[in-house]
Amino acid sequence: MTNEVTIPLLPCASIDDIITFYGALGFSTTYKQRKPYPCVGLQRQDLNLQFFEITGFDPAQSYGSCIVLTSDIAELHQAFAAGMRAAFGKVLVSGLPRMTRPRTRKNADGLGGFSIIDPGGNWIRVFQNPATTPTPAPAPAGRLGKALANAVVLADSKGDAGQAVRILDSALARPQADDDPVTHVEVLVYRAELAMALDDRETATQMLARIEHIALNADETARAAPTFEIAADLAAALR
């Protein structure tokens, strides 16, 4: 038998907060009830999620999670980011809720991915569908590239931002002449993003400031353009 559909049912402290947040991302409410227990169904095109409310639930302690496969993570991320800017005035990068950036995951065979951490503390993990990606990204090269890849696995996949910070800080403390300047920018921006996730605004500001001192030629500037866009969002969130 084919064409089965699985819809995750995730916990939250308030279905009203869930509706508000996911509404900003373009989801519509397909079902809502208050009794015998509060729950809500949400849908955005072929993406369906359901949530149930638990009195006294602590989102920070949530283990709720699900995986979403999509043919274009960049397009979906851009749509979610636009919704956040329209609803909240910025892309949410710290606290609950928040959203990470699309990055290659070495623990996912080189496929790209990002995560939404919603008001219920649930991790909605979005990955590029392997069926639509015949050529995954190559393995990271260079000292900084490998450090960045390891940090992404720890923070974005496993939720261990503290250990990811230690990896990046160690790499940044030992600069080498052959470090790729574009990767250097990527590391600093990701370090700033992690600082924001940890509510360390001072470090985030310092990391973004260090980017200005990295010399880039025209080709390197073009390669780093997507990362500079991330830096601009982080800077906006710091204001």
Side-chain angles (χ1 to χ4, degrees):
M1 187 177 295
T2 60
N3 299 318
E4 293 88 352
V5 175
T6 299
I7 300 175
L9 187 58
L10 302 167
C12 67
S14 166
I15 60 171
D16 292 330
D17 291 345
I18 289 290
I19 292 170
T20 298
F21 174 69
Y22 281 100
L25 302 188
F27 285 75
S28 59
T29 300
T30 59
Y31 178 79
K32 180 181 179 182
Q33 73 173 35
R34 287 292 178 183
K35 294 181 178 180
Y37 59 90
C39 68
V40 63
L42 303 172
Q43 181 177 12
R44 183 186 187 277
Q45 298 178 346
D46 291 333
L47 180 53
N48 289 273
L49 299 170
Q50 292 192 10
F51 298 86
F52 61 96
E53 183 178 309
I54 301 175
T55 301
F57 182 76
D58 181 3
Q61 302 300 319
S62 176
Y63 286 91
S65 184
C66 72
I67 292 175
V68 174
L69 298 180
T70 180
S71 60
D72 193 333
I73 60 169
E75 180 181 6
L76 189 57
H77 185 276
Q78 288 168 5
F80 287 163
M84 286 184 178
R85 292 189 186 99
F88 310 115
K90 61 185 178 181
V91 177
L92 304 178
V93 295
S94 63
L96 289 176
R98 67 182 185 274
M99 180 171 68
T100 68
R101 297 287 177 164
R103 290 187 173 88
T104 299
R105 307 284 182 87
K106 75 171 191 176
N107 62 330
D109 297 324
L111 297 175
F114 70 93
S115 296
I116 293 170
I117 301 88
D118 69 22
N122 304 294
W123 284 65
I124 313 302
R125 304 173 189 271
V126 182
F127 286 98
Q128 189 76 27
N129 192 334
T132 62
T133 312
T135 307
R143 183 184 68 89
L144 289 178
K146 293 176 181 177
L148 179 60
N150 290 333
V152 168
V153 170
L154 285 165
D156 286 7
S157 291
K158 300 182 178 180
D160 190 350
Q163 184 59 32
V165 161
R166 287 186 280 275
I167 289 175
L168 295 183
D169 284 348
S170 176
L172 290 169
R174 298 180 289 105
Q176 297 182 10
D178 61 348
D179 285 339
D180 175 33
V182 175
T183 307
H184 192 179
V185 171
E186 293 172 348
V187 169
L188 287 171
V189 170
Y190 189 48
R191 179 63 180 88
E193 185 177 322
L194 292 179
M196 290 291 290
L198 295 170
D199 199 26
D200 183 358
R201 298 170 66 89
E202 180 178 356
T203 297
T205 301
Q206 292 173 353
M207 293 297 158
L208 294 178
R210 288 173 61 174
I211 297 170
E212 301 176 5
H213 302 288
I214 300 177
L216 300 173
N217 60 33
D219 176 67
E220 291 165 343
T221 299
R223 286 169 49 207
T227 308
F228 284 127
E229 291 180 6
I230 299 172
D233 278 338
L234 293 174
L238 284 167
R239 295 192 189 106

